[in-house]
Amino acid sequence: MSTLTKKEKKLQSILASYKRVVIGFSGGIDSTLVLKEAINSLGKENVLAVVANSELFSDDEYDKAIKLADELGAQVKGVELDYLADEHVKNNKPNSWYYMKQMFYAKLMEIAKDFNTDVVLDGMIMDDASDFRPGLRARDEAGAVSVLQQADIYKDEVRQLSQKLGLKNWNKIPSCSVSSRFPYNTELTSAKLNQVLTAEKYLREQGFMTVRVRVHEDMARIEVPEKEIVNLIAKKTAITEELNKIGYKYVTVDLQGFVSGRMNQELSEEEKLNILVG
């Protein structure tokens, strides 16, 4: 028996130990795998996928997540979360992710009671355990369970299992809160967030599926994978004109290419530790 098969069986055994579960579902591949395996193990009548919508994520991502959960045969519930009502999030503090996740897990726990269960699952994977993830503290405080971590499953294994199960989003590009496009301690507004969402949507329409528009006041710094920088520069005139229309005075290309969590580089290790442990 392969290591991957053993891990999948462990995941299935963990899920089978529950009667009913609520799953925080984003439409990303990690939570999709959890949802699919939970339905297989418990039956769709005992599984509820909860999709959160907010100003920090695109409506397209929300709509796709709702549709995907429905296609998988899951019961699905959409909720609206006003993350900007929290001052830490509104001012994009370094610990804002903790407060966002705290709000998210609190809503999941509330829904779990109505669903007659106290079990809330998420899609955290082993890779997250070694990254800067303030949401892990919020998860632990809420008592939510990361079954993929319990089964010792990493991202590449998630993709392998998802492809085997025929999940159509097995190679989906990860998305992230739009707040990550701004330097810490920048006040976030609906207008600023919509500018980023509009700019990134336009760039994806131009063929740049992995893209971030990092904002520095009135300047947009575009990140795409290194191998795509040449193509991006080839379209510089049209891209600059469009982003100027959207509201950015200056448009630049980051020659280092796309780097996930780029804004975290400005935090010291001590600052990260303080956020993680509270």
Side-chain angles (χ1 to χ4, degrees), residues 42-57:
L42 303 173
K44 62 183 181 181
E45 68 277 6
N46 294 313
V47 179
L48 176 63
V50 179
V51 185
N53 196 19
S54 79
E55 290 183 294
L56 299 182
F57 295 87

Side-chain angles (χ1 to χ4, degrees), residues 143-162:
V145 181
S146 301
V147 290
L148 295 178
Q149 286 189 349
Q150 290 188 342
D152 195 37
I153 294 175
Y154 289 81
K155 175 65 78 175
D156 61 332
E157 295 169 324
V158 169
R159 295 199 185 283
Q160 291 177 58
L161 288 173
S162 299

Side-chain angles (χ1 to χ4, degrees), residues 14 18 26 34 40 66 134 138-139 178 199 203 220 222 243 248 257 261 265:
I14 293 168
Y18 301 119
S26 67
V34 174
N40 290 347
I66 292 286
R139 176 205 63 187
V178 186
L203 289 165
I222 303 173
L243 267 62
Y248 298 110
Q265 292 178 356

Side-chain angles (χ1 to χ4, degrees), residues 23 25 48-54 62-63 65-67 69 74-81 104 107-108 111:
I23 298 172
F25 185 66
L48 176 63
V50 179
V51 185
N53 196 19
S54 79
Y62 173 77
D63 293 339
I66 292 286
K67 182 180 179 181
Q75 300 179 74
V76 58
K77 180 180 180 64
V79 297
E80 294 283 339
L81 293 178
F104 178 58
K107 174 57 70 173
L108 291 178
I111 292 171

Side-chain angles (χ1 to χ4, degrees), residues 11-203:
L11 172 63
Q12 293 167 343
S13 175
I14 293 168
L15 290 168
S17 68
Y18 301 119
K19 292 183 178 180
R20 291 166 69 81
V21 298
V22 166
I23 298 172
F25 185 66
S26 67
I29 187 55
D30 304 329
S31 60
T32 300
L33 178 60
V34 174
L35 180 58
K36 177 65 174 178
E37 292 281 18
I39 291 173
N40 290 347
S41 297
L42 303 173
K44 62 183 181 181
E45 68 277 6
N46 294 313
V47 179
L48 176 63
V50 179
V51 185
N53 196 19
S54 79
E55 290 183 294
L56 299 182
F57 295 87
S58 73
D59 289 338
D60 285 346
E61 287 290 324
Y62 173 77
D63 293 339
K64 288 177 182 177
I66 292 286
K67 182 180 179 181
L68 178 57
D70 187 61
E71 289 174 349
L72 291 173
Q75 300 179 74
V76 58
K77 180 180 180 64
V79 297
E80 294 283 339
L81 293 178
D82 184 9
Y83 288 126
L84 294 186
D86 186 285
E87 289 299 311
H88 302 86
V89 180
K90 181 179 179 181
N91 293 296
N92 205 28
K93 295 296 183 181
N95 60 358
S96 61
W97 265 104
Y98 164 73
Y99 289 95
M100 286 171 59
K101 287 297 187 179
Q102 188 180 59
M103 189 182 300
F104 178 58
Y105 285 119
K107 174 57 70 173
L108 291 178
M109 288 297 178
E110 177 185 315
I111 292 171
K113 290 181 180 179
D114 294 335
F115 193 61
N116 195 30
T117 182
D118 59 358
V119 181
V120 168
L121 309 181
D122 65 21
M124 291 280 194
I125 57 177
M126 286 302 295
D127 307 64
D128 296 323
S130 58
D131 197 2
F132 176 60
R133 300 286 183 182
L136 293 173
R137 178 159 66 99
R139 176 205 63 187
D140 292 343
E141 291 174 353
V145 181
S146 301
V147 290
L148 295 178
Q149 286 189 349
Q150 290 188 342
D152 195 37
I153 294 175
Y154 289 81
K155 175 65 78 175
D156 61 332
E157 295 169 324
V158 169
R159 295 199 185 283
Q160 291 177 58
L161 288 173
S162 299
Q163 191 172 19
K164 188 189 80 168
L165 290 169
L167 299 177
K168 66 180 185 180
N169 65 343
W170 67 271
N171 62 344
K172 184 179 186 293
I173 298 166
S175 60
C176 186
S177 166
V178 186
S179 62
S180 67
R181 315 306 197 263
F182 298 85
Y184 286 121
N185 301 306
T186 300
E187 183 179 1
L188 304 179
T189 66
S190 296
K192 290 178 182 177
L193 298 171
N194 286 331
Q195 273 187 317
V196 172
L197 290 171
T198 302
E200 291 187 350
K201 182 178 181 180
Y202 166 76
L203 289 165

